[in-house]
Amino acid sequence: MNIFVDSLLLFLLIMRYHSQLLALTALLLSVTVAPAQTTRADIFNNPSLAAVVYLPYPAPTTPLTPAPEGYKPFYISHVGRHGSRYMVSNEYYHHTIDLLSKAERDKVLTPLGKETLAKLRIAYADAHGKAGMLSTLGGQQHEQIASRMYRNFPEVFTDNSFVDARSTLVNRCMQSMAHFCTQLQLLNKDLDISQRTRKKDQYFLSNNKDSAQAAPTNKEVRQRVIHYMDSLNQSNRVVYRLISRESWIRKHVKRPGQVGFDLYQIWGNMLCQPQLHLDFTDAFERNELFQFFQAENVRWVLRRGIIPGLTPRYQYIYPLVNNIVSWADEVIRHGKTGAHLRFAHDTQVYPLAFVLRFSGYGQRPTANLDSLNFYTSADRVVPMASNIQFIFYRKKGSNDILVKILFLEKEQHIPIATDQWPYYHWRDLRAYMKRQATR
C-alpha cells in the first residue's frame, strides 16, 4: 500500500510540474547530446577523414523537421567557410620535390619514391601560381549549398527579398560568395543581391585582434602542447619508404619526420583537387595518418586557446555573435524578408560552434594532453565549406519568433530549454547568445 501511495504522489507531482519537466528534459537533452568522435577505427576504414580541414563538404542526408503549424521562414543568417582550395603555400611541394629529386639523381629512390615524385610533379604543375585559391570543387560546393538553401526555404527568396552577402578580403572567400550568389540569382533572377568585400566588415568577419586577458600559464601550457603535437607529427617513417638508403637520409635529411608531414599536407589537399585523380595514401601507414589527425585536432584547440591555461583566443568571435544578433533584430523590427550571408574561414566557424556549444562542441578538454586525442574531431566541425545557418520563422498574428540552427545543414542542439526542438524561441536564443559573447 505504501508503494502505491508513494507512486501516486510522485505521479501527481510530475503532472503538477509537467511543463517545467518538459523544458528541463529538453535542456538536458541539448546539453548531453554529443557529436560522434572520429576514432582510430574510423581513420583505418576511411583514411580521408585524417585530412581534417581539407575534407570536402559532406552533403547532408538527414531530412529537416517541418516547422510548427503556421510558421514560415522569413530570414536566414549564415556564416560559412570558403570552399575547397589549393594549399595556402606551396612550400610543402618545394621541400618534398626538391628532396626527392636529389634522391632521384643519386639513384636512391624506392619504387614507391619514384611513383610519389612523379605524382608530386603533376600535382605541383596544377597548383603552381594558385596558392590559396578556390578550387573547382570549392565553387561547386557553394553552388550546391545555395541550391539546397533555396529549395529548403523558398519563402526567404521571393522577388521582394534582400540578399546581403559579405566576405573577408581573401580571394577564396570572395570567390565562394560569387559562386553562392550567382547560383541564387540563377534560381530567381529578380532577387536583389548585394555582394560586398569591405575592410570595415572585417571586425566581425575576420577578427584577429585578441582582446582576451592573457592567461598566466599560457607560455608553459603552449610549450607542452606544441611538444606533444610535434611528437605526433614527427614520429612517422614515411621518408624510409621513399628513399632506400638510410645513410643518405642521415646525411641529407635533418628531420626525417618532416618529410612525412609535408607529404601529409599534400595528400590531404588532393581531396580538394579530385580532377587530378592523385592519391598518396600508399606512402603512409594507417596509424601514421591517425597520428597526423590527432595533431591537427590538438592544433585547433591550441590556436583557439580552448585548453585550460591558455589565453582564451576563441573570444575574438564575440563581435560575430553580436553581429548575428543585431542584424537579426533589425530584420525583425522592420518586418523584412531575406538573408545575410557571410563568407569567411574555418577560424570563424570553429570558435562560433564552440562558443554557442553546438551539440556538445562547447565542452572544454582538460589540461591532460591525452584527452586532446579525440576532442571535437575538427574534421566534423570545419570541413571545406563548413557553414552555420540560423533560420528564422514567424507566424501571422504572433510576435513569437522561432529559430532553427543548422550546422553543416543539420539541425543542432544548444544548451537552452525549448518546448519544440529543433526550434528555439528567439527571445531565449538571443539572450543566450548575448551571454555567451561576454564570458
Side-chain angles (χ1 to χ4, degrees):
M1 183 67 177
N2 288 338
I3 294 176
F4 174 77
V5 172
D6 289 344
S7 299
L8 180 61
L9 289 173
L10 178 61
F11 173 76
L12 292 174
L13 184 64
I14 290 174
M15 293 303 294
R16 180 179 179 182
Y17 295 104
H18 180 67
S19 60
Q20 292 91 332
L21 282 170
L22 280 176
L24 178 59
T25 300
L27 175 60
L28 291 174
L29 283 173
S30 66
V31 171
T32 57
V33 171
Q37 302 300 314
T38 302
T39 66
R40 184 188 301 269
D42 293 330
I43 300 296
F44 277 46
N45 292 329
N46 183 7
S48 296
L49 296 175
V52 190
V53 296
Y54 286 131
L55 197 68
Y57 187 73
T61 57
T62 307
L64 299 178
T65 305
E69 186 176 357
Y71 280 89
K72 302 292 183 183
F74 69 95
Y75 172 57
I76 296 174
S77 186
H78 156 280
V79 178
R81 183 192 183 194
H82 57 76
S84 290
R85 59 163 170 79
Y86 288 87
M87 289 188 291
V88 173
S89 170
N90 283 329
E91 64 178 2
Y92 300 115
Y93 283 118
H94 299 160
H95 297 164
T96 313
I97 292 176
D98 288 350
L99 178 69
L100 295 186
S101 295
K102 188 173 184 178
E104 181 184 45
R105 290 193 296 270
D106 291 343
K107 296 181 171 33
V108 292
L109 282 182
T110 65
L112 178 61
K114 294 175 182 177
E115 179 185 345
T116 299
L117 179 57
K119 290 190 292 187
L120 283 170
R121 287 169 173 161
I122 296 171
Y124 180 60
D126 176 69
H128 183 68
K130 301 176 185 174
M133 301 293 285
L134 197 72
S135 70
T136 300
L137 177 61
Q140 293 170 348
Q141 289 163 346
H142 280 285
E143 292 167 6
Q144 292 163 2
I145 295 170
S147 293
R148 286 191 293 269
M149 182 185 286
Y150 187 92
R151 182 175 67 246
N152 290 332
F153 312 107
E155 298 91 341
V156 175
F157 300 103
T158 65
D159 293 351
N160 298 319
S161 300
F162 74 91
V163 176
D164 184 347
R166 316 280 180 105
S167 83
T168 71
L169 305 177
V170 179
N171 185 272
R172 57 184 172 274
C173 295
M174 292 187 278
Q175 288 180 301
S176 295
M177 175 174 67
H179 279 276
F180 199 108
C181 292
T182 298
Q183 185 63 24
L184 288 178
Q185 199 81 74
L186 287 173
L187 293 168
N188 183 351
K189 62 181 178 59
D190 294 322
L191 278 177
D192 179 17
I193 300 179
S194 170
Q195 298 183 57
R196 285 182 277 187
T197 301
R198 306 184 301 180
K199 190 173 182 179
K200 65 183 292 185
D201 292 331
Q202 303 312 301
Y203 78 95
F204 64 83
L205 281 175
S206 184
N207 179 24
N208 294 316
K209 295 182 179 179
D210 188 0
S211 59
Q213 184 174 356
T217 57
N218 184 66
K219 185 175 181 180
E220 173 191 344
V221 176
R222 278 183 63 84
Q223 288 177 339
R224 187 157 52 95
V225 174
I226 289 172
H227 176 75
Y228 175 69
M229 185 171 60
D230 193 56
S231 68
L232 289 170
N233 280 331
Q234 297 299 321
S235 61
N236 69 86
R237 293 184 57 82
V238 170
V239 69
Y240 298 99
R241 298 186 198 107
L242 304 178
I243 298 173
S244 61
R245 193 175 302 166
E246 291 198 24
S247 60
W248 192 97
I249 295 172
R250 287 194 298 271
K251 181 178 179 180
H252 297 283
V253 184
K254 292 181 179 179
R255 300 184 75 197
Q258 190 65 33
V259 178
F261 175 77
D262 291 348
L263 187 60
Y264 162 71
Q265 296 294 326
I266 297 168
W267 165 82
N269 191 249
M270 288 302 96
L271 296 177
C272 300
Q273 325 300 336
Q275 76 281 359
L276 298 179
H277 305 288
L278 295 175
D279 186 2
F280 296 91
T281 306
D282 289 347
F284 303 92
E285 291 183 351
R286 293 296 190 268
N287 193 59
E288 290 170 339
L289 289 175
F290 180 67
Q291 287 180 311
F292 285 130
F293 166 81
Q294 289 176 300
E296 280 295 291
N297 279 328
V298 173
R299 183 175 68 89
W300 272 99
V301 294
L302 172 69
R303 289 176 62 190
R304 303 281 73 81
I306 292 173
I307 302 170
L310 291 176
T311 300
R313 292 191 173 89
Y314 59 83
Q315 292 180 1
Y316 73 70
I317 206 66
Y318 290 174
L320 175 57
V321 178
N322 289 322
N323 171 257
I324 293 169
V325 171
S326 63
W327 280 4
D329 284 346
E330 181 183 357
V331 169
I332 294 169
R333 184 167 56 251
H334 294 287
K336 297 180 180 179
T337 299
H340 282 119
L341 308 174
R342 304 168 187 84
F343 297 87
H345 305 266
D346 47 10
T347 48
Q348 279 68 54
V349 175
Y350 187 98
L352 183 59
F354 171 76
V355 166
L356 298 184
R357 297 177 65 186
F358 290 165
S359 295
Y361 286 109
Q363 302 301 321
R364 296 185 75 178
T366 68
N368 178 4
L369 296 180
D370 289 337
S371 74
L372 302 179
N373 289 352
F374 302 102
Y375 177 71
T376 69
S377 290
D379 59 303
R380 298 174 183 262
V381 186
V382 282
M384 291 296 179
S386 174
N387 63 91
I388 297 168
Q389 301 175 24
F390 298 81
I391 317 298
F392 288 71
Y393 295 74
R394 60 190 168 200
K395 181 179 181 180
K396 189 174 181 179
S398 173
N399 293 324
D400 187 24
I401 303 294
L402 297 181
V403 185
K404 172 163 61 180
I405 304 172
L406 303 182
F407 185 24
L408 306 184
E409 300 176 77
K410 299 175 183 176
E411 295 166 342
Q412 291 300 299
H413 290 269
I414 57 173
I416 62 174
T418 179
D419 52 4
Q420 45 193 337
W421 186 87
Y423 297 89
Y424 295 88
H425 298 279
W426 173 235
R427 61 179 180 273
D428 300 328
L429 176 58
R430 184 187 188 282
Y432 170 74
M433 293 176 69
K434 297 294 285 186
R435 286 196 306 272
Q436 293 301 100
T438 56
R439 293 184 175 182

